[in-house]
Amino acid sequence: KDIPGTSAVSPGCSTECAPARQSPSGTGEADYCRRILVRDAKGTIREIVLPKGLDLDRPKRTRTSFTAEQLYRLELEFQRCQYVVGRERTELARQLNLSETQVR
């Protein structure tokens, strides 16, 4: 299965990773791209071009579990004003024992 936001291409015809200059390895590959081969459910092998900076081995961040009270307060604030900013966000985060990012 293709990964959203990536380009599955046949070998040698990627335009997204076309080198603007020769890489230090001398392969002609752009040094900011990473190619991986994946096999889909039908057994077809596809090549996917990804940026090298994408850390595929990094574990996902755990999803925040809000309490019923926190959800109630956040929904009330959202109904009042969809964008809580500045001191209001800081104060709401403090009252709910959440980070400002979680309140956002």
Side-chain angles (χ1 to χ4, degrees), residues 14-71:
S14 171
T15 56
E16 293 184 19
C17 197
R21 57 182 165 69
Q22 193 76 352
S23 69
S25 64
T27 61
E29 184 72 24
D31 56 357
Y32 51 85
C33 288
R34 173 179 174 186
R35 295 173 183 267
I36 60 172
L37 299 176
V38 294
R39 187 181 311 267
D40 64 18
K42 296 179 183 176
T44 306
I45 296 176
R46 304 186 125 200
E47 182 180 49
I48 299 177
V49 179
L50 300 169
K52 281 188 180 175
L54 184 64
D55 186 2
L56 299 174
D57 301 321
R58 177 176 42 101
K60 283 187 165 183
R61 179 185 61 80
T62 56
R63 190 178 182 105
T64 303
S65 296
F66 296 102
T67 66
E69 179 186 344
Q70 289 170 332
L71 284 174

Side-chain angles (χ1 to χ4, degrees), residues 66-80:
F66 296 102
T67 66
E69 179 186 344
Q70 289 170 332
L71 284 174
Y72 178 75
R73 285 287 309 279
L74 289 168
E75 287 174 359
L76 277 178
E77 288 298 323
F78 183 79
Q79 287 174 2
R80 190 178 68 77

